[in-house]
mmCIF file of all heavy atoms in Angstrom:
data_model
loop_
_atom_site.group_PDB
_atom_site.id
_atom_site.type_symbol
_atom_site.label_atom_id
_atom_site.label_comp_id
_atom_site.label_asym_id
_atom_site.label_seq_id
_atom_site.Cartn_x
_atom_site.Cartn_y
_atom_site.Cartn_z
ATOM 1 N N GLY J 17 -15.924 13.746 -14.216
ATOM 2 C CA GLY J 17 -15.747 14.995 -14.955
ATOM 3 C C GLY J 17 -15.929 16.248 -14.128
ATOM 4 O O GLY J 17 -15.773 17.361 -14.639
ATOM 5 N N ALA J 18 -16.241 16.131 -12.847
ATOM 6 C CA ALA J 18 -16.439 17.308 -12.004
ATOM 7 C C ALA J 18 -15.087 17.863 -11.555
ATOM 8 O O ALA J 18 -14.192 17.110 -11.171
ATOM 9 C CB ALA J 18 -17.267 16.935 -10.780
ATOM 10 N N THR J 19 -14.957 19.180 -11.607
ATOM 11 C CA THR J 19 -13.740 19.828 -11.126
ATOM 12 C C THR J 19 -13.841 20.044 -9.624
ATOM 13 O O THR J 19 -14.923 19.941 -9.028
ATOM 14 C CB THR J 19 -13.525 21.182 -11.808
ATOM 15 O OG1 THR J 19 -14.600 22.057 -11.418
ATOM 16 C CG2 THR J 19 -13.470 21.064 -13.329
ATOM 17 N N ALA J 20 -12.720 20.374 -9.011
ATOM 18 C CA ALA J 20 -12.708 20.650 -7.573
ATOM 19 C C ALA J 20 -13.632 21.823 -7.249
ATOM 20 O O ALA J 20 -14.349 21.804 -6.252
ATOM 21 C CB ALA J 20 -11.278 20.945 -7.113
ATOM 22 N N ASP J 21 -13.629 22.851 -8.103
ATOM 23 C CA ASP J 21 -14.498 24.019 -7.880
ATOM 24 C C ASP J 21 -15.974 23.627 -7.944
ATOM 25 O O ASP J 21 -16.779 24.107 -7.145
ATOM 26 C CB ASP J 21 -14.207 25.116 -8.891
ATOM 27 C CG ASP J 21 -12.850 25.780 -8.650
ATOM 28 O OD1 ASP J 21 -12.378 25.756 -7.500
ATOM 29 O OD2 ASP J 21 -12.293 26.322 -9.618
ATOM 30 N N GLU J 22 -16.332 22.767 -8.889
ATOM 31 C CA GLU J 22 -17.734 22.335 -9.002
ATOM 32 C C GLU J 22 -18.159 21.526 -7.791
ATOM 33 O O GLU J 22 -19.263 21.715 -7.273
ATOM 34 C CB GLU J 22 -17.923 21.511 -10.278
ATOM 35 C CG GLU J 22 -17.813 22.307 -11.551
ATOM 36 C CD GLU J 22 -17.744 21.436 -12.790
ATOM 37 O OE1 GLU J 22 -17.596 20.197 -12.673
ATOM 38 O OE2 GLU J 22 -17.833 22.016 -13.889
ATOM 39 N N ILE J 23 -17.305 20.647 -7.317
ATOM 40 C CA ILE J 23 -17.632 19.857 -6.125
ATOM 41 C C ILE J 23 -17.777 20.775 -4.928
ATOM 42 O O ILE J 23 -18.718 20.646 -4.138
ATOM 43 C CB ILE J 23 -16.560 18.775 -5.874
ATOM 44 C CG1 ILE J 23 -16.598 17.735 -7.002
ATOM 45 C CG2 ILE J 23 -16.771 18.107 -4.520
ATOM 46 C CD1 ILE J 23 -15.452 16.759 -6.978
ATOM 47 N N TYR J 24 -16.900 21.756 -4.818
ATOM 48 C CA TYR J 24 -16.997 22.707 -3.711
ATOM 49 C C TYR J 24 -18.300 23.493 -3.792
ATOM 50 O O TYR J 24 -19.012 23.635 -2.795
ATOM 51 C CB TYR J 24 -15.803 23.658 -3.724
ATOM 52 C CG TYR J 24 -15.878 24.699 -2.637
ATOM 53 C CD1 TYR J 24 -15.455 24.384 -1.341
ATOM 54 C CD2 TYR J 24 -16.396 25.961 -2.891
ATOM 55 C CE1 TYR J 24 -15.537 25.330 -0.327
ATOM 56 C CE2 TYR J 24 -16.488 26.904 -1.873
ATOM 57 C CZ TYR J 24 -16.066 26.591 -0.605
ATOM 58 O OH TYR J 24 -16.169 27.513 0.402
ATOM 59 N N ASP J 25 -18.638 24.007 -4.982
ATOM 60 C CA ASP J 25 -19.869 24.796 -5.144
ATOM 61 C C ASP J 25 -21.110 23.987 -4.815
ATOM 62 O O ASP J 25 -22.056 24.489 -4.203
ATOM 63 C CB ASP J 25 -19.969 25.357 -6.559
ATOM 64 C CG ASP J 25 -19.030 26.515 -6.804
ATOM 65 O OD1 ASP J 25 -18.554 27.116 -5.801
ATOM 66 O OD2 ASP J 25 -18.721 26.803 -7.969
ATOM 67 N N ARG J 26 -21.117 22.703 -5.231
ATOM 68 C CA ARG J 26 -22.279 21.857 -4.966
ATOM 69 C C ARG J 26 -22.430 21.475 -3.506
ATOM 70 O O ARG J 26 -23.546 21.374 -2.997
ATOM 71 C CB ARG J 26 -22.189 20.564 -5.782
ATOM 72 C CG ARG J 26 -22.938 20.608 -7.082
ATOM 73 C CD ARG J 26 -22.994 19.237 -7.696
ATOM 74 N NE ARG J 26 -21.677 18.949 -8.286
ATOM 75 C CZ ARG J 26 -21.232 17.767 -8.576
ATOM 76 N NH1 ARG J 26 -21.942 16.708 -8.332
ATOM 77 N NH2 ARG J 26 -20.044 17.600 -9.111
ATOM 78 N N CYS J 27 -21.301 21.259 -2.844
ATOM 79 C CA CYS J 27 -21.361 20.622 -1.525
ATOM 80 C C CYS J 27 -20.926 21.492 -0.355
ATOM 81 O O CYS J 27 -21.386 21.274 0.766
ATOM 82 C CB CYS J 27 -20.510 19.361 -1.543
ATOM 83 S SG CYS J 27 -20.962 18.189 -2.829
ATOM 84 N N MET J 28 -20.037 22.423 -0.574
ATOM 85 C CA MET J 28 -19.449 23.151 0.555
ATOM 86 C C MET J 28 -19.648 24.663 0.467
ATOM 87 O O MET J 28 -19.087 25.395 1.260
ATOM 88 C CB MET J 28 -17.949 22.849 0.635
ATOM 89 C CG MET J 28 -17.619 21.374 0.726
ATOM 90 S SD MET J 28 -18.372 20.552 2.115
ATOM 91 C CE MET J 28 -17.141 20.824 3.350
ATOM 92 N N ASN J 29 -20.441 25.128 -0.467
ATOM 93 C CA ASN J 29 -20.644 26.553 -0.656
ATOM 94 C C ASN J 29 -21.366 27.153 0.541
ATOM 95 O O ASN J 29 -22.479 26.771 0.854
ATOM 96 C CB ASN J 29 -21.450 26.791 -1.940
ATOM 97 C CG ASN J 29 -21.466 28.228 -2.346
ATOM 98 O OD1 ASN J 29 -21.433 29.123 -1.519
ATOM 99 N ND2 ASN J 29 -21.500 28.469 -3.637
ATOM 100 N N PRO J 30 -20.748 28.133 1.228
ATOM 101 C CA PRO J 30 -21.369 28.715 2.420
ATOM 102 C C PRO J 30 -22.694 29.408 2.117
ATOM 103 O O PRO J 30 -23.555 29.517 2.987
ATOM 104 C CB PRO J 30 -20.336 29.717 2.923
ATOM 105 C CG PRO J 30 -19.103 29.519 2.140
ATOM 106 C CD PRO J 30 -19.432 28.677 0.949
ATOM 107 N N ASP J 31 -22.882 29.876 0.880
ATOM 108 C CA ASP J 31 -24.128 30.564 0.531
ATOM 109 C C ASP J 31 -25.324 29.615 0.492
ATOM 110 O O ASP J 31 -26.444 30.007 0.780
ATOM 111 C CB ASP J 31 -23.996 31.261 -0.835
ATOM 112 C CG ASP J 31 -22.919 32.341 -0.811
ATOM 113 O OD1 ASP J 31 -22.664 32.885 0.284
ATOM 114 O OD2 ASP J 31 -22.343 32.620 -1.865
ATOM 115 N N ARG J 32 -25.085 28.352 0.121
ATOM 116 C CA ARG J 32 -26.163 27.365 0.007
ATOM 117 C C ARG J 32 -26.219 26.424 1.206
ATOM 118 O O ARG J 32 -27.135 25.629 1.306
ATOM 119 C CB ARG J 32 -25.959 26.523 -1.256
ATOM 120 C CG ARG J 32 -26.145 27.284 -2.520
ATOM 121 C CD ARG J 32 -26.199 26.319 -3.688
ATOM 122 N NE ARG J 32 -25.637 26.989 -4.821
ATOM 123 C CZ ARG J 32 -24.831 26.447 -5.691
ATOM 124 N NH1 ARG J 32 -24.469 25.193 -5.583
ATOM 125 N NH2 ARG J 32 -24.362 27.137 -6.699
ATOM 126 N N GLY J 33 -25.225 26.460 2.042
ATOM 127 C CA GLY J 33 -25.155 25.535 3.168
ATOM 128 C C GLY J 33 -24.286 24.346 2.802
ATOM 129 O O GLY J 33 -24.065 24.046 1.627
ATOM 130 N N VAL J 34 -23.822 23.667 3.805
ATOM 131 C CA VAL J 34 -22.919 22.537 3.600
ATOM 132 C C VAL J 34 -23.725 21.255 3.403
ATOM 133 O O VAL J 34 -24.613 20.944 4.191
ATOM 134 C CB VAL J 34 -21.971 22.378 4.808
ATOM 135 C CG1 VAL J 34 -21.118 21.139 4.697
ATOM 136 C CG2 VAL J 34 -21.100 23.619 4.960
#
Side-chain angles (χ1 to χ4, degrees):
T19 65
D21 289 335
E22 291 169 350
I23 293 170
Y24 178 83
D25 286 340
R26 264 190 284 160
C27 304
M28 304 302 272
N29 191 328
D31 298 333
R32 292 191 212 139
V34 174

